[in-house]
Amino acid sequence: QVQLVESGGGLVQAGGSLRLSCAASGRTFSTYAMGWFRQAPGKEREFVAVIGYLEGSTYYADSMKGRFTISRDNAKNTLYLQMNSLKPEDTAVYYCAAGAGGVHFERYAYWGQGTQVTVSS
């Protein structure tokens, strides 16, 4: 079983940057694909990015338009999401997840508690 804890969220003005982190508890961290999802109040959970077992195996939602970068450090059991050029529509609770990978949230078995990102105009 895997436990995940996100950190790094907060309040930022449009155009600013944040880096989210996700600390995992297990030594089998490297055996899972890791993804970031986000959810705004009253809206469906949205795929953000995923990284597989190799550093170069990444995929991003089209709406991110190259603004976000996902990475992982298996030695530190940590997942990251660098977010640049933030927009008000990026405001959401951001969740990290571990599982089979892909863009659908149902493919991920383990989830963190979420961290709030708020982008003001």
Side-chain angles (χ1 to χ4, degrees):
Q1 198 168 7
V2 176
Q3 290 184 320
L4 306 171
V5 180
E6 301 96 334
S7 62
L11 177 64
V12 64
Q13 291 185 335
S17 298
L18 285 173
R19 189 182 76 155
L20 306 183
S21 299
C22 174
S25 63
R27 288 190 293 272
T28 59
F29 175 78
S30 63
T31 68
Y32 296 95
M34 299 291 296
W36 287 99
F37 291 78
R38 67 188 187 185
Q39 188 167 26
K43 298 183 179 179
E44 65 184 2
R45 195 172 304 179
E46 179 186 22
F47 169 77
V48 174
V50 62
I51 186 167
Y53 308 118
L54 299 176
E55 184 70 18
S57 180
T58 60
Y59 182 75
Y60 300 89
D62 291 339
S63 61
M64 305 306 149
K65 297 178 66 68
R67 298 178 297 122
F68 293 3
T69 302
I70 188 172
S71 62
R72 67 191 293 172
D73 187 334
N74 291 335
K76 297 181 179 179
N77 289 341
T78 303
L79 176 75
Y80 303 97
L81 183 68
Q82 178 66 47
M83 305 186 295
N84 299 324
S85 301
L86 284 163
K87 306 173 182 179
E89 56 258 43
D90 295 319
T91 296
V93 176
Y94 283 71
Y95 300 91
C96 68
V103 303
H104 201 285
F105 73 90
E106 293 177 349
R107 294 175 56 87
Y108 296 82
Y110 303 102
W111 294 84
Q113 83 288 351
T115 185
Q116 176 70 47
V117 172
T118 303
V119 184
S120 62
S121 300

